[in-house]
Amino acid sequence: MTVNDYNRCVNQHADAVYRFLLKNIRDKEKARDLVQDSFEKLWINVEQVSAEKAKSYLFTTAYHKLIDKTRVDKRMADWDKVNMSEYSHSEQYSDVMEMLEKGVAQLSADQRSVIMLRDYEGYSYKEIAGMTGLSEARVKVYIYRARVFLKEYVGSVEALV
Amino acid sequence: MESLTRNNYEIWFLDYLDGQLSNQQLETLLDFLEQNPDLKEELRGVSGVSLAAGMESLDQKYLLLKSPADIPGISAIDQLCIARMENDLPEEEARMFDLRLNEDTGLGEKYAAFQLTRLNPADSVIYPYKKELLRKTRILSPWIITAISSAAVILLAWFLWPDPPEPVSPGLAKIEKPATDNRQPATGNRQLATRNLQPATGNRQPTTTNPLNVKPVSAESSPRDFVPMNSLSRKSAVAGPRIPDPQSTKLLFASSYPSAMNNPVTAEDALTLPQYALQLFREKILGQDRKKVRETRFSLWEVAGAGVNGINSLAGTDMKLNRAYDSNGDIVAVSFSSRLIDVESPIKGQENR
């Protein structure tokens, strides 16, 4: 991969990697550090990574760095610490989406990462398995259970409302 | 177990029928039955009652079976809805599910609830520090590459090319008298030079004013007739490998230039390859006037002067690095002036280069 290819990766994927990390770790500065670490690792291996595989390489790196960071911290940040609407530019940030975000925060780290890779980036079970080191079956189980949980979470909140 | 009384004898009776009484408990039961003969008759009546197992079997038992694809903890209908949402169903099953959706309102509501769980990437999050991640590439503009290449060629030629000897090699005198000269002048409008050549009679006369006996190139004559390659002397005043005579080589190069057809080139004007490269460098890169280039000898002070001019153009300063030359074209003094200082220094002979 050339320098131009690398810079193109920055422009194309930095936002997606940042979103993935921010919504997982829910800390702006930590997410920024992880983004920089991920791209630094890509730069170090720029000659070994092809331009086509750069995105999956970035997400794989970001996922593993996220897990390492989470294990070091060993705690979940309060949802109130980060107001996702500050970093979101959606014209309609509906109540359902807000409830969904809160529900996602309740998931385990692996489930949350897996379902974000599935919905945000459209990766297949196999690709997600390759990135996370999980088996394809485990990825599928995580996604299915996450959907059940989110459905019940949103439904329970709506019921209360 | 509690002691046997008329209030809890049924429990003792059931344990007796299940064979779960110990030997001591059995003796206790027998003693109780001797004291209560009516209960003994009741126990005898219960002992004969038992149910026989039937042969019924569950129809479509296979529907209850689970496959490795089934996920523990998730109901079948939930898994079906999620599979449809994730496009995990085979085409036929997906079609049947869609048909069922239209008929089953409850299934439709459940499926809609699951569709709400899909995270929407449309709420774009922007990474605000992208510029920190970008890497820069150094691109050399073509003129820098040309300047570097020219400087490298000049330096290489400067150190490797031997200086031509100032006096003419005595071996060149032999060009004046070829053993046989059967050359005939060309017909047509050829005009011979006025200097040292004889009319086309084949009789060449040696001269003292032009030891090379070579006429200058003119627009009306063929340049190649003047210095045939086979007439070049193979003797050189410099010991070592045999090399063409530099003076002859100069004229050979000069006479080959197309511009020489229109602009007569003399021996004094002709340049060797390193000299031509140096001239090009001084004119194009250092920006010096051609006349000055021909009249003065190259010195690293000229490079310094070009550098000062470059700094002035970039920084807007008004520094000057002036050079004073002698009659031979060598720098004899340099002076530097700026807003803060003004100095002048003579240059020794060996510092000119």
Side-chain angles (χ1 to χ4, degrees):
Chain A
M1 190 162 60
T2 64
V3 176
N4 288 338
D5 290 336
Y6 169 84
N7 288 336
R8 202 174 300 121
C9 281
V10 170
N11 291 323
Q12 289 178 350
H13 306 314
D15 294 336
V17 174
Y18 181 60
R19 174 179 59 217
F20 171 73
L21 291 168
L22 182 63
K23 293 199 174 186
N24 265 287
I25 207 167
R26 283 159 291 155
D27 185 305
K28 184 177 67 171
E29 289 305 317
K30 289 180 183 175
R32 176 186 174 182
D33 291 341
L34 291 176
V35 168
Q36 290 180 335
D37 290 346
S38 301
F39 276 93
E40 182 64 25
K41 187 172 177 189
L42 175 63
W43 177 247
I44 290 170
N45 297 291
V46 67
E47 294 181 358
Q48 287 80 34
V49 181
S50 64
E52 296 78 22
K53 301 229 164 116
K55 183 181 178 184
S56 60
Y57 184 89
L58 277 169
F59 273 93
T60 304
T61 305
Y63 171 79
H64 288 291
K65 288 194 179 290
L66 172 69
I67 295 299
D68 292 342
K69 185 68 176 173
T70 304
R71 283 177 188 158
V72 170
D73 291 345
K74 287 185 179 176
R75 60 182 176 86
M76 303 266 287
D78 293 333
W79 175 251
D80 292 337
K81 223 179 187 177
V82 172
N83 183 5
M84 289 308 302
S85 60
E86 290 179 7
Y87 311 103
S88 168
H89 297 268
S90 174
E91 294 180 355
Q92 287 183 342
Y93 202 77
S94 64
D95 292 337
V96 173
M97 290 171 67
E98 190 170 348
M99 284 188 288
L100 206 57
E101 293 289 340
K102 290 186 178 180
V104 168
Q106 304 293 326
L107 296 171
S108 68
D110 283 338
Q111 277 185 321
R112 189 165 54 242
S113 299
V114 163
I115 199 165
M116 283 185 182
L117 289 172
R118 178 75 172 174
D119 286 349
Y120 286 155
E121 308 304 327
Y123 285 118
S124 66
Y125 298 142
K126 185 177 179 181
E127 289 170 329
I128 296 173
M131 289 179 186
T132 58
L134 302 168
S135 67
E136 201 171 326
R138 177 60 56 183
V139 168
K140 185 175 177 180
V141 167
Y142 278 170
I143 289 175
Y144 274 50
R145 286 183 175 165
R147 297 229 185 270
V148 170
F149 173 82
L150 291 174
K151 169 185 167 289
E152 291 174 0
Y153 184 87
V154 172
S156 65
V157 174
E158 282 184 333
L160 287 175
V161 173
Chain B
M1 188 181 273
E2 296 177 355
S3 60
L4 181 57
T5 65
R6 288 186 71 88
N7 295 326
N8 60 1
Y9 69 91
E10 292 94 346
I11 300 173
W12 282 78
F13 283 1
L14 289 172
D15 288 339
Y16 168 75
L17 292 173
D18 290 337
Q20 294 182 357
L21 291 179
S22 63
N23 291 335
Q24 187 176 357
Q25 290 172 333
L26 190 60
E27 287 181 9
T28 305
L29 178 63
L30 290 174
D31 291 338
F32 177 79
L33 288 174
E34 291 297 328
Q35 296 169 8
N36 299 278
D38 56 328
L39 295 180
K40 188 176 181 178
E41 290 299 319
E42 185 177 333
L43 178 62
R44 192 175 287 120
V46 172
S47 299
V49 175
S50 64
L51 296 175
M55 298 304 292
E56 297 85 0
S57 63
L58 177 63
D59 193 18
Q60 295 182 328
K61 199 188 306 181
Y62 66 90
L63 294 176
L64 298 175
L65 297 175
K66 296 292 183 184
S67 68
D70 291 313
I71 299 172
I74 298 179
S75 67
I77 193 65
D78 285 352
Q79 185 163 336
L80 188 62
C81 290
I82 298 171
R84 182 66 187 96
M85 183 181 159
E86 297 286 341
N87 291 321
D88 290 343
L89 291 177
E91 189 175 336
E92 181 60 24
E93 288 187 37
R95 191 181 63 81
M96 289 179 61
F97 180 86
D98 292 339
L99 287 174
R100 199 173 150 188
L101 265 184
N102 294 329
E103 299 167 359
D104 189 342
T105 308
L107 181 63
E109 291 175 355
K110 186 181 284 286
Y111 185 63
F114 272 113
Q115 285 185 312
L116 286 179
T117 65
R118 187 179 295 282
L119 303 178
N120 188 3
D123 54 335
S124 59
V125 176
I126 305 298
Y127 183 62
Y129 310 106
K130 248 180 258 183
K131 286 187 180 177
E132 296 177 354
L133 302 175
L134 294 173
R135 302 283 173 165
K136 296 179 183 177
T137 55
R138 267 190 93 176
I139 301 174
L140 294 178
S141 59
W143 77 269
I144 294 179
I145 297 174
T146 304
I148 293 172
S149 305
S150 303
V153 168
I154 291 167
L155 284 173
L156 194 64
W158 189 273
F159 288 109
L160 297 182
W161 198 274
D163 289 331
E166 287 301 328
V168 177
S169 170
L172 287 176
K174 294 189 179 178
I175 296 177
E176 302 168 5
K177 293 183 178 178
T180 56
D181 189 352
N182 297 321
R183 290 187 303 161
Q184 300 297 324
T187 58
N189 296 324
R190 177 177 293 183
Q191 299 291 328
L192 297 178
T194 58
R195 217 158 140 185
N196 293 312
L197 290 182
Q198 301 299 318
T201 57
N203 296 324
R204 277 190 155 187
Q205 301 294 329
T207 65
T208 56
T209 58
N210 184 6
L212 293 177
N213 194 29
V214 178
K215 66 177 179 182
V217 176
S218 66
E220 297 168 346
S221 58
S222 169
R224 302 232 177 241
D225 292 341
F226 296 106
V227 186
M229 290 300 296
N230 55 5
S231 65
L232 288 176
S233 170
R234 293 194 175 273
K235 290 188 179 179
S236 169
V238 180
R242 293 179 177 178
I243 56 176
D245 181 74
Q247 293 295 337
S248 303
T249 308
K250 281 185 187 180
L251 288 174
L252 183 64
F253 280 132
S255 63
S256 299
Y257 294 156
S259 60
M261 299 299 290
N262 295 321
N263 300 317
V265 178
T266 63
E268 290 78 13
D269 293 333
L271 300 175
T272 61
L273 183 59
Q275 289 174 338
Y276 179 73
L278 179 60
Q279 175 182 314
L280 203 65
F281 174 72
R282 293 176 74 184
E283 288 178 11
K284 302 297 182 186
I285 307 303
L286 300 184
Q288 295 181 348
D289 182 55
R290 173 168 287 194
K291 184 180 178 185
K292 183 178 180 183
V293 166
R294 286 182 172 266
E295 292 174 351
T296 60
R297 197 190 298 274
F298 172 73
S299 167
L300 290 179
W301 286 107
E302 296 181 9
V303 179
V308 168
N309 292 336
I311 293 173
N312 287 338
S313 63
L314 287 174
T317 54
D318 191 24
M319 299 183 291
K320 290 178 184 166
L321 182 68
N322 297 319
R323 284 87 67 189
Y325 298 88
D326 60 8
S327 58
N328 293 328
D330 295 326
I331 294 180
V332 294
V334 293
S335 65
F336 176 75
S337 63
S338 70
R339 197 159 55 95
L340 297 177
I341 60 174
D342 192 352
V343 297
E344 184 173 342
S345 172
I347 300 296
K348 298 179 183 178
Q350 59 271 19
E351 291 177 350
N352 282 335
R353 292 188 180 275

